[in-house]
Amino acid sequence: MTAGTRVLISSSQIAARVNELAAEIERDYTDGPLYLISVLKGSFIFVADLARAFRRLQVRIEFMAISSYGQGQTSSGQVKLTRDLDVPIEGHHILIVEDIIDSGVTLSYLKRLLEHRKPKSLAIATLLDKPEKRVQPVDVKYTGFRIPDEFVVGYGLDFAEDYRNLSDIRILD
Ligand code: IMP
Ligand code: MG
């Protein structure tokens, strides 16, 4: 399962950074609930760990699904909403939780979509950022790791639906 891959970020490095992010987020929100909007499928492990790292803040978890990549390693540039939220977000603090930001196309689409629903606040947390590939600038408030322009898998991230269950983040060679 890990043949042809090499570790970029180990599970213990991820765990330490996720705890730091949760602490940082908790410092910024004095009133809850904070709605964590997990963008499926890639962020399902990140959101599960992040949510459990909060100590004080009232947190709720909701899911959306977006597809932009198809089966390949390069973005189609087309974003499709495949599953919407099933709760209104008007008047609530919203934190979009993503696995990775690459071109920025997905997150700028999502941000625009949710802004129209009049949340009390709207911010983005991403575990990984590949800044070299940015096509659309996006204001990301919380970033786990900035990584080089390599295709990565594991900890929720896939290549053609494989590798999501790996504990480390690995480069696919
Ligand atoms: P963007 O729209 O180009 O920013 O792409 C964001 C989406 O592409 C992410 O939510 C991922 O699903 C996918 N993606 C981008 N880079 C990678 C990668 O290195 N590994 C796995 N998925 C990726
Ligand atoms: Mg994704």
Side-chain angles (χ1 to χ4, degrees):
M1 193 62 208
T2 55
T5 69
R6 58 201 150 97
V7 175
L8 178 67
I9 308 168
S10 71
S11 59
S12 56
Q13 288 176 294
I14 299 168
R17 186 67 187 123
V18 169
N19 281 324
E20 285 176 3
L21 285 176
E24 198 183 323
I25 294 165
E26 272 196 323
R27 279 196 294 275
D28 292 346
Y29 294 87
T30 48
D31 60 322
L34 173 65
Y35 281 71
L36 303 178
I37 309 290
S38 165
V39 185
L40 295 171
K41 301 174 192 171
S43 73
F44 81 105
I45 295 179
F46 177 39
V47 80
D49 285 345
L50 186 69
R52 285 179 292 179
F54 290 107
R55 297 285 163 264
R56 172 192 56 79
L57 191 64
Q58 180 192 2
V59 159
R60 293 180 183 166
I61 303 164
E62 298 292 341
F63 297 94
M64 289 183 88
I66 290 265
S67 79
S68 67
Y69 258 57
Q71 301 293 302
Q73 289 191 9
T74 50
S75 177
S76 63
Q78 290 234 325
V79 183
K80 200 172 72 183
L81 180 68
T82 55
R83 182 199 192 281
D84 202 349
L85 294 171
D86 40 34
V87 292
I89 59 165
E90 186 172 346
H92 290 300
H93 290 300
I94 299 301
L95 184 64
I96 300 172
V97 179
E98 252 288 33
D99 51 354
I100 187 165
I101 176 167
D102 188 15
S103 69
V105 172
T106 306
L107 273 172
S108 32
Y109 168 84
L110 206 57
K111 205 169 175 214
R112 230 175 307 122
L113 184 82
L114 296 184
E115 258 160 10
H116 284 299
R117 301 182 186 178
K118 301 186 172 57
K120 190 173 189 179
S121 69
L122 180 61
I124 296 172
T126 185
L127 180 67
L128 304 173
D129 183 0
K130 288 200 274 198
E132 285 167 49
K133 292 278 283 293
R134 197 76 85 256
V135 175
Q136 292 198 14
V138 188
D139 182 20
V140 178
K141 192 158 183 201
Y142 308 99
T143 300
F145 302 91
R146 285 190 181 79
I147 62 168
D149 182 19
E150 303 262 18
F151 197 82
V152 291
V153 295
Y155 197 74
L157 290 110
D158 74 308
F159 173 61
E161 297 303 324
D162 286 327
Y163 305 106
R164 291 194 197 277
N165 61 313
L166 304 181
S167 303
D168 305 311
I169 291 167
R170 291 171 167 268
I171 294 175
L172 192 61
D173 287 311

